[in-house]
Amino acid sequence: MTLFRLGYVAMSKHVKNASPSKTMSFAQFSKIADREAAIAKLERIAQMNLHNCLRLLRHNAAHNIAFFRLSSKLIPLANHPSLKDWAYMEPLREALKEIKCFLMEHPNVRVDFHPDHFVLLNSTDTSIFKNSIQTLGMHYQLLKGMGIDPAHRCVLHVGGGYDDKEQALEQFVHNWGLVPPRIQKMVILENDDKVFNVRDTLYLCEKLGIPFVFDYHHYLVNHTKEESIQEEWPRIAATWGQSELPVKVHISSPKSEADCRAHAELIDLEMFWDFVGLVKGTVAQIDVMIEAKGKDEALFQLVRDLKAHKQAEWINDSSFIPF
């Protein structure tokens, strides 16, 4: 038997005025003549983002949702080169402590991050690589501030193909040796929808000891004829063997045939159930991150569809064991 736990990404369609990603552009920051006042405004925005994050976590708890992706935009301009002197963590300690207390009261809740696409660990550009490490360092500090063990909490894509996929994979291996150990421990890798397929990503995960986040939608639009879930899944699951966290996967559905890579508003029931049928019984637990435009409503609708049309034992409002 496999327990499937459903989660969603960062925002809610049901909790109003609760964006955890409010921001300020550097142009807006620069227009404030008093630099201290400008930084104080950034800090207020970050505190509001963390407050809204806590509101969403409470909303999730009310619906027994124990899996949630935190916004990577909690602290606007955190790594801007003109704000290197801003010690942004200090004014956020109390807001982070509130989230820490919530998570201590709800120990089964799993939260993580998916840093933006500009975090590229296989870049040959020193400045891009350095900025990527700096951004991951911010995520590390946020996790620590929330009392979360940072291990295996940041999902990344392999990076750019740079017109030579094999060389790009080896560049990742080379750069990995330059990544601080605490950041290495935090990273998990996902197959993407254009360049690095399941086997490419498995090569890195198995070679470097990194857990693999399987994205089913990406697999469907980017796989070779030789690849199959039945063959690759045992290797994918095995990459989580040294992690204290359960296997994690991403689920989304194509927006349309013409735009097959874009995410739809909701999750296609049959597509999701096909995946469940392929992997059920292989591991004790799979945490499923729903990457849909509908956010929490996509999760709620998928639950309604599953209860109406599929056979499963429901553990709570968002977790089930398929028959």
Side-chain angles (χ1 to χ4, degrees):
M1 296 190 299
T2 299
L3 173 68
F4 289 78
R5 295 198 311 174
L6 305 177
Y8 70 98
V9 175
M11 305 278 287
S12 169
K13 293 282 189 177
H14 289 260
V15 184
K16 303 304 180 185
N17 301 315
S19 171
S21 305
K22 295 179 186 296
T23 191
M24 176 195 289
S25 69
F26 187 69
Q28 292 170 324
F29 176 87
S30 301
K31 289 178 182 177
I32 302 174
D34 186 328
R35 181 177 172 83
E36 288 189 8
I39 289 177
K41 185 171 183 179
L42 282 177
E43 291 170 355
R44 288 195 299 273
I45 293 172
Q47 288 165 351
M48 179 58 70
N49 285 342
L50 289 168
H51 172 71
N52 284 339
C53 180
L54 181 58
R55 290 177 61 199
L56 294 174
L57 287 169
R58 288 171 174 159
H59 162 69
N60 295 347
H63 296 278
N64 293 305
I65 298 170
F67 190 26
F68 184 61
R69 179 184 299 167
L70 302 167
S71 169
S72 285
K73 298 178 180 178
L74 292 170
I75 311 176
L77 303 180
N79 291 327
H80 196 279
S82 296
L83 286 163
K84 290 182 179 179
D85 60 331
W86 178 29
Y88 52 78
M89 288 299 295
E90 187 58 36
L92 303 181
R93 294 201 183 281
E94 285 304 312
L96 288 168
K97 185 178 179 181
E98 289 185 337
I99 295 175
K100 179 179 179 178
C101 290
F102 172 89
L103 293 173
M104 289 177 66
E105 294 169 1
H106 299 81
N108 291 326
V109 170
R110 178 180 185 174
V111 296
D112 60 16
F113 285 106
H114 194 339
D116 292 328
H117 64 279
F118 58 77
V119 176
L120 298 169
L121 291 186
N122 76 334
S123 177
T124 57
D125 186 313
T126 303
S127 62
I128 291 175
F129 178 75
K130 183 178 179 180
N131 288 338
S132 297
I133 297 299
Q134 186 177 1
T135 298
L136 289 171
M138 178 196 70
H139 287 78
Y140 180 89
Q141 290 187 73
L142 285 169
L143 288 164
K144 294 292 284 187
M146 295 176 188
I148 303 167
D149 180 352
H152 308 145
R153 300 284 182 166
C154 277
V155 187
L156 298 181
H157 291 165
V158 173
Y162 306 115
D163 298 321
D164 187 339
K165 186 168 71 169
E166 299 304 319
Q167 178 57 39
L169 287 168
E170 294 311 315
Q171 188 66 45
F172 189 103
V173 174
H174 174 270
N175 287 5
W176 187 249
L178 305 175
V179 177
R182 72 181 188 280
I183 303 299
Q184 286 186 354
K185 187 68 173 176
M186 193 169 61
V187 171
I188 48 183
L189 288 178
E190 170 192 2
N191 57 305
D192 69 52
D193 59 346
K194 292 183 179 179
V195 182
F196 298 102
N197 57 36
V198 167
R199 287 191 176 176
D200 298 328
T201 310
L202 265 173
Y203 166 72
L204 293 178
C205 289
E206 292 176 337
K207 185 179 184 70
L208 302 174
I210 303 171
F212 187 132
V213 178
F214 176 67
D215 189 305
Y216 186 48
H217 183 179
H218 290 175
Y219 164 79
L220 292 176
V221 299
N222 179 30
H223 67 274
T224 66
K225 292 181 180 179
E226 292 77 25
E227 288 179 320
S228 69
I229 297 177
Q230 291 92 331
E231 183 177 346
E232 314 299 344
W233 178 257
R235 295 172 61 195
I236 292 170
T239 65
W240 289 90
Q242 301 303 312
S243 179
E244 294 185 2
L245 298 171
V247 174
K248 173 184 175 177
V249 302
H250 290 173
I251 292 291
S252 55
S253 296
K255 183 177 181 180
S256 65
E257 288 188 14
D259 194 5
C260 64
R261 288 185 167 85
H263 292 178
E265 186 76 13
L266 301 173
I267 299 298
D268 180 88
L269 174 63
E270 297 305 327
M271 175 183 169
F272 174 65
W273 201 248
D274 285 346
F275 170 73
V276 170
L278 289 167
V279 301
K280 68 179 181 179
T282 60
V283 291
Q285 182 173 322
I286 299 175
D287 287 346
V288 180
M289 181 55 65
I290 293 172
E291 297 186 315
K293 298 295 185 182
K295 305 300 182 182
D296 54 346
E297 176 54 28
L299 186 155
F300 295 143
Q301 184 59 55
L302 179 58
V303 169
R304 289 192 290 267
D305 290 342
L306 287 167
K307 288 182 175 180
H309 302 289
K310 303 300 179 183
Q311 296 297 310
E313 175 188 355
W314 284 88
I315 308 305
N316 57 41
D317 295 339
S318 67
S319 303
F320 66 92
I321 298 172
F323 294 153

